[in-house]
Amino acid sequence: MTAASWALRAACRGIDLEAFFTESRTGMEQAKRFCAVCPVRRDCLAEALQAEDQSARYGVFGGFSAAERTDMVRRQRRATPKAAPVPKQPRQPAKCGTRPGYQKHIRERTEICGPCRQANTDADNRLRRTGTTKAAR
Ligand code: SF4
Ligand SMILES: [Zn+2]
């Protein structure tokens, strides 16, 4: 099943997604209520875990907040026997005009610049349309 086909059955399809991208507890709880009854919750979570920037998770997907997904991945990693260490890639600073850039503003509580705001809106619109924030290739 492709991302687009499961996204058609998403409980959050067509609704205002603001609650899914808020830092407020009430907003997140509201979003999670959609996820709780969503038939594609597993696909959504799997897609989020696979597609999102591990150092800059954001939003509620598959019923889990960004912090909860980070915990989940950490726990999974701890449970998995260690493979040979992968050399660490130097972290690229998030650029303005990208969604990670937007997320960086949020994290660092700096003023969100126009290009970042636009990039985030574009990503939200993509999510609405396709079920993923990734740009089409
Ligand atoms: S965020 Fe994912 S799990 Fe939650 S309602 Fe939307 S598609 Fe379903
Ligand atoms: Zn910016």
Side-chain angles (χ1 to χ4, degrees):
M1 196 184 270
T2 67
S5 64
W6 66 255
L8 295 175
R9 296 187 290 127
C12 61
R13 190 169 142 81
I15 66 150
D16 179 4
L17 289 176
E18 196 166 325
F20 288 82
F21 292 97
T22 174
E23 307 260 299
S24 93
R25 184 171 287 273
T26 343
M28 278 192 230
E29 295 304 324
Q30 201 189 332
K32 285 180 182 179
R33 280 200 285 274
F34 279 94
C35 301
V37 297
C38 181
V40 295
R41 193 178 156 147
R42 277 165 162 274
D43 298 283
C44 175
L45 179 63
E47 158 91 17
L49 291 175
Q50 187 250 315
E52 67 193 344
D53 177 352
Q54 302 209 1
S55 59
R57 290 199 168 83
Y58 191 56
V60 170
F61 288 102
F64 294 91
S65 69
E68 289 165 342
R69 292 196 302 283
T70 300
D71 282 353
M72 190 184 298
V73 170
R74 280 208 196 111
R75 260 180 277 124
Q76 266 166 11
R77 263 196 217 126
R78 255 183 257 133
T80 318
K82 269 214 175 98
V86 180
K88 223 180 169 180
Q89 297 287 328
R91 267 268 296 280
Q92 296 292 323
K95 284 197 207 80
C96 272
T98 64
R99 189 156 162 107
Y102 177 88
Q103 291 160 348
K104 187 162 181 269
H105 286 301
I106 304 264
R107 270 201 318 279
E108 296 176 355
R109 303 190 191 287
T110 52
E111 198 187 326
I112 297 161
C113 70
C116 285
R117 197 174 284 284
Q118 186 59 50
N120 188 57
T121 307
D122 292 347
D124 278 353
N125 290 340
R126 265 199 304 280
L127 180 72
R128 255 179 255 246
R129 277 200 316 273
T130 65
T132 171
T133 57
K134 279 197 165 171
R137 301 218 173 116

